[in-house]
Amino acid sequence: MKMNKNTVKYIVCSFLGILIILYFVYQVVQMNSSPYKTEIALEREIKSTVSADAFVVRDESYITAENTNGTFVSIAEDGKRVASGDTVAVVFPNSQSAAAYSRTNEIEKEIEYYKQLKNRVGVGTNAPSSYNDMINNACIDLIEASRGEFGSSFSDALTDFRDAITTKQLAVGEELSVDAKLTELEAELLELQSKAVGYTTVASPNPGYYIGSVDGYENTVNYSSVLDVNCEKISSLLSAQKQSVSQNVMGKLVDAFDWYLLCNIPYNSSGALEVGETVKVDVVNAAVGTIQCTVAYKGDKEGEQVALVLKCNAMNRNVTNLRIEKIEIVTEEYTGIRINNKAIREQDGEKGVYVRNGNIIRFKKINILYSTEEYSVIEKIDNDSSYVKQYDTVITEGVNLYDGKVVS
């Protein structure tokens, strides 16, 4: 079929119109897109760690008592050193007597506090603003203490906060009913003392660090031969079963100051660890945080592993119940600028990156401290403008890059 001139003209115009539209769309896309991908260079603290399962060994001995029928209450705080003969626990005939005894101790402290407070009534010559500062500081200390375990440090901070508020009340002349409170507490004390009877005390047989609980692993390893280990022995410890503990055991004492973490680590990751070196260890699933340890023993290569023994002397409530734990040994720490490896290039035999400074591209040098498959940590050099600085806009992807190139 033969097309007339008008039809042909219409088809050609339509085709040209589509081409013009496509060209216009292309130009808009080009104008609104950048041929480069960038990221901001930021300073980072990077840790190189070795993960392992560890078995904790202490110089432990059981504390036993003749009377074990009743309710056991620890008096000494876990992780605190006690002397020979110190009372570390009390055994009550029933839970009601135990509760009365605990409340008695609390009330005795309250009575002592209010007696001291009574002597301070009417005292206070400082400016009101100084008392506000005292309260603010005590509040900050209380918040800091609350971030840890609610032990003696939190209790002390809470007492200091209460003292700060009370001191201001006394200073501004607010009337406090100290005598009424003392009368109330002393009456409650007399009543409780009649209930908290019939208990027996448990004394520490020798000096040491007290722990009020046992786990059945206390006799798994001979403390004197803690360094006589290999990978096979450590693996057996990590899978060992708890031993039964006699009913007359009322806690334990840690006699020696040092305790140990036994673990197997990959041979390829052991090069940075040498005997006598101090390392940081993060205990993963416990409220311990980071502890300082010393490499006490490093075995020979066994297959793909190496036996490692770490020594620690930190002793507090948080570490007393550690036994089989996941740990991360910090082998190296770096503070520098983190750079995506895609950005790293070479110019005139020198490694560096291209940085966009306004509409000009500059090549800046780098000194690599540490690398992974994805990124590198480079040295932070402040006194030389030819090196990458924090907050530089680093080009991670782009073509036809060179120093001094002008981009729109």
Side-chain angles (χ1 to χ4, degrees), residues 162-178:
R162 184 174 67 169
D163 280 348
I165 294 175
T166 304
T167 299
K168 182 179 179 181
Q169 289 176 315
L170 293 173
V172 298
E174 185 171 334
E175 185 175 344
L176 298 178
S177 182
V178 177

Side-chain angles (χ1 to χ4, degrees), residues 64 194 215 229 377:
T64 59
S194 65
D215 58 18
V229 293
V377 178

Side-chain angles (χ1 to χ4, degrees), residues 67-250:
N67 179 19
T68 59
N69 295 322
T71 302
F72 170 79
V73 176
S74 290
I75 300 300
E77 181 181 339
D78 280 359
K80 292 294 184 181
R81 189 164 183 84
V82 295
S84 179
D86 283 355
T87 299
V88 294
V90 181
V91 181
F92 295 91
N94 52 58
S95 59
Q96 290 80 10
S97 295
Y101 181 86
S102 297
R103 178 58 182 155
T104 296
N105 288 337
E106 293 175 4
I107 291 177
E108 287 175 343
K109 292 179 182 178
E110 287 283 297
I111 290 174
E112 181 63 26
Y113 170 77
Y114 280 102
K115 283 182 177 178
Q116 293 178 359
L117 184 62
K118 184 177 180 179
N119 295 329
R120 291 163 52 194
V121 172
V123 177
T125 58
N126 294 338
S129 60
S130 67
Y131 295 111
N132 292 336
D133 292 339
M134 185 189 304
I135 293 172
N136 290 338
N137 292 334
C139 183
I140 292 171
D141 292 341
L142 180 61
I143 292 171
E144 289 294 327
S146 69
R147 291 172 179 167
E149 187 169 332
F150 277 50
S152 59
S153 61
F154 178 80
S155 178
D156 292 342
L158 184 60
T159 299
D160 291 343
F161 181 61
R162 184 174 67 169
D163 280 348
I165 294 175
T166 304
T167 299
K168 182 179 179 181
Q169 289 176 315
L170 293 173
V172 298
E174 185 171 334
E175 185 175 344
L176 298 178
S177 182
V178 177
D179 290 331
K181 187 63 178 179
L182 276 171
T183 301
E184 177 187 337
L185 289 171
E186 288 169 349
E188 185 180 357
L189 179 63
L190 287 174
E191 182 181 355
L192 288 170
Q193 286 175 336
S194 65
K195 296 178 180 179
V197 295
Y199 61 84
T200 57
T201 59
V202 179
S204 173
N206 53 271
Y209 295 95
Y210 173 74
I211 302 176
S213 60
V214 297
D215 58 18
Y217 290 107
E218 284 78 13
N219 297 319
T220 306
V221 180
N222 188 333
Y223 182 82
S224 61
S225 59
V226 68
L227 302 183
D228 183 19
V229 293
N230 54 33
C231 291
E232 182 180 358
K233 184 172 182 179
I234 292 175
S235 295
S236 66
L237 289 175
L238 294 171
S239 59
Q241 299 297 312
K242 298 179 181 181
Q243 300 174 1
S244 60
V245 180
S246 173
Q247 290 185 350
N248 69 337
V249 171
M250 294 294 171

